[in-house]
Amino acid sequence: MNTAQISPLDQINQTLKEHNPFAKPPFMNVNDVWGDGFVDFPAINAHASDLVFKALQNIQNGLYTTTSLLITAQDGTGKTHVIGRIRHQLQKNGQGLFVYVNQHNVNHPIKEQFQQKLAISLSKNGYYGVMQWQEIATLMAKDCHPKLKNLRNPQQLLTRFTNESNQTRVNGFIKKFTELYCNSQEVEDPDIVQAIFWTLSPNQIYRSSAIKWLGGQELAEKFYKVLDLPSQNQSFDTVIEILKIIGNYKELVICFDELDTVEAINTENNLHISVIIAGLIKDLFENLKKGVILSVIMDS
């Protein structure tokens, strides 16, 4: 018969100090949503995240193309945790791309904020362990370049770029991809296509500059000249074109969080952030080709 072993009290106390289960704050933030150390508890609010993945499945099965979902719950009951689960499941199964929209500035134009959040979110790693921008750029390249039809994943294309030490040749590849894509697809703004292809660049500075430009930020002259782009492209039309391009290849899940801050009232029109975001969601829904828009808010 085995006898249970009981650790000495001082050893237990030392273990708790080194691995304190209560050291982490009892709430989630943006780092938890994007971070690799996400700890999931599937039993918590599984019905909510299941609803999103069911909607994605329905879209892939052709039942509809887009849908908008609203999750309401009491404060501290796991709303952001559900968003974190959705993001990590998408990264794991590759069912769609993920965009997270939070930390809203109620007194700054909401569409400009969304353009920046869209660009930042797509710069995060996705299913293949590379930026979601690079996933899209690879699918675009496969679609238009006859020699890239058999690419299995973005890493293969990124390796080709990395192995090319001549920056002039890299610039030429990006120009060629842009030309081929614009000749094969209906494109409103070729500069957006070119900026997306620049996310494949092995040069981290040029890659980051392209993402900033796609997010509506102004570039210094030395960067926008190399990328052969205008200095800035801050416009909701840019957002619409990006959504259109993504929709040609992947479903998109856009999650709006932190809509229930009591003091988030615009000083000019006296509107709450949730009302302002509702207008943005309407515009996005009308222009999203394939995907789910999810909003989480505290139950009133």
Side-chain angles (χ1 to χ4, degrees), residues 143-144 180-188 244 248-249:
D143 197 18
C144 69
L180 289 172
Y181 190 83
C182 292
N183 287 337
S184 64
Q185 301 285 339
E186 183 179 340
V187 174
E188 294 293 332
K244 173 185 169 184
N248 288 333
Y249 307 104

Side-chain angles (χ1 to χ4, degrees), residues 90-95 125-130 132 135 250:
L90 288 175
Q91 187 181 32
K92 183 178 178 180
N93 62 30
Q95 197 174 353
N125 284 357
Y127 176 66
Y128 291 98
V130 302
Q132 296 182 106
E135 287 188 43
K250 299 283 288 188

Side-chain angles (χ1 to χ4, degrees), residues 214-283:
L214 288 163
Q217 297 184 61
E218 187 172 8
L219 300 183
E221 182 178 0
K222 62 181 178 180
F223 295 130
Y224 72 72
K225 282 192 172 181
V226 171
L227 272 58
D228 192 24
L229 296 170
S231 62
Q232 187 178 22
N233 196 15
Q234 189 178 76
S235 166
F236 194 65
D237 289 338
T238 299
V239 171
I240 293 173
E241 183 72 1
I242 291 171
L243 296 180
K244 173 185 169 184
I245 291 172
I246 292 174
N248 288 333
Y249 307 104
K250 299 283 288 188
E251 287 75 24
L252 188 64
V253 178
I254 304 173
C255 291
F256 287 91
D257 197 7
E258 301 176 6
L259 303 181
D260 39 29
T261 306
V262 175
E263 63 273 15
I265 305 292
N266 183 279
T267 55
E268 291 188 6
N269 54 32
N270 207 35
L271 293 177
H272 188 267
I273 186 62
S274 59
V275 178
I276 297 172
I277 292 290
L280 172 62
I281 290 174
K282 178 179 180 295
D283 290 334

